[in-house]
Amino acid sequence: MALLGLVLAGCGVNNVPTLEEKAKASWGEVQNQYQRRADLIPNLVETVKGFAAQEREVLTAVIEARAKASQVKVDASTITDPARFKEFQDAQNQLSGALGRLLVTVERYPELKSNQNFLALQSQLEGTENRVAVARRDYIQAVQAFNTEIRTFPGVIWARLFWGAKAMESFAATAGAERPPAVKF
């Protein structure tokens, strides 16, 4: 009995379930990468939008404050007219405040980083799509090995006698999958 078990183990009877499990694990990795993509992309896009909006707000405030400050006409009489002096001072204070926010932004981020964030988003998107492609490739190869094993000798014997194994479907892209996912800002 032990000799029969040893002979069967050496003849590849375990190849069928081994290859089947490898193919299932590979499919699990495809699903994992799809989920990673589904989770990651919206969060990355929102992060980039947040940085871009914050920078846009700071720069817009500086531009508007500068425009207001330059519209206030200053001459020697300004220092003797409390209303015009206050108008001038308010415009300058507004510009100072906007510049202060800009400087804080620049201190936090040595350069305004929307451009870097977009590049990082692009890199993450590329990396994610590459991970999906690798997972698909690995699954296709695992299914090919399994299907070849259960269709060729001696694996076909073990597949029918012991395992009742059936061919697995290989990955097939859905209609429209040739187009990359849309990213909207």
Side-chain angles (χ1 to χ4, degrees), residues 18-158:
T18 301
L19 292 171
E20 181 179 31
E21 291 304 314
K22 183 175 180 182
K24 287 178 182 177
S26 294
W27 177 245
E29 183 59 19
V30 170
Q31 291 176 313
N32 179 45
Q33 292 305 324
Y34 281 150
Q35 187 62 52
R36 179 183 184 275
R37 177 173 62 182
D39 293 343
L40 178 69
I41 290 174
N43 291 330
L44 286 171
V45 170
E46 288 304 313
T47 299
V48 170
K49 283 169 92 175
F51 275 108
Q54 184 247 351
E55 291 170 11
R56 183 173 36 251
E57 288 172 16
V58 170
L59 291 174
T60 301
V62 169
I63 291 166
E64 288 173 355
R66 182 189 163 277
K68 284 182 183 176
S70 65
Q71 287 175 353
V72 176
K73 301 295 180 208
V74 178
D75 59 18
S77 66
T78 303
I79 59 172
T80 59
D81 183 345
R84 288 184 62 204
F85 186 82
K86 182 170 180 1
E87 181 185 356
F88 172 76
Q89 190 63 36
D90 288 346
Q92 294 303 320
N93 287 341
Q94 189 176 12
L95 179 57
S96 293
L99 288 172
R101 286 189 301 279
L102 177 63
L103 290 174
V104 167
T105 301
V106 171
E107 285 173 10
R108 272 194 220 145
Y109 312 102
E111 54 190 73
L112 291 179
K113 293 192 177 183
S114 287
N115 201 25
Q116 287 178 308
N117 290 326
F118 284 104
L119 292 174
L121 173 63
Q122 181 182 5
S123 176
Q124 287 292 329
L125 292 173
E126 289 171 0
T128 298
E129 292 306 306
N130 287 338
R131 287 176 185 223
V132 169
V134 167
R136 287 178 187 161
R137 182 203 63 208
D138 291 348
Y139 172 72
I140 290 167
Q141 289 173 345
V143 167
Q144 179 186 17
F146 174 76
N147 287 346
T148 300
E149 179 68 22
I150 67 169
R151 290 183 177 139
T152 58
F153 185 80
V156 68
I157 296 169
W158 310 129

Side-chain angles (χ1 to χ4, degrees), residues 153-166:
F153 185 80
V156 68
I157 296 169
W158 310 129
R160 290 192 182 146
L161 284 177
F162 292 102
W163 308 115
K166 296 180 182 175

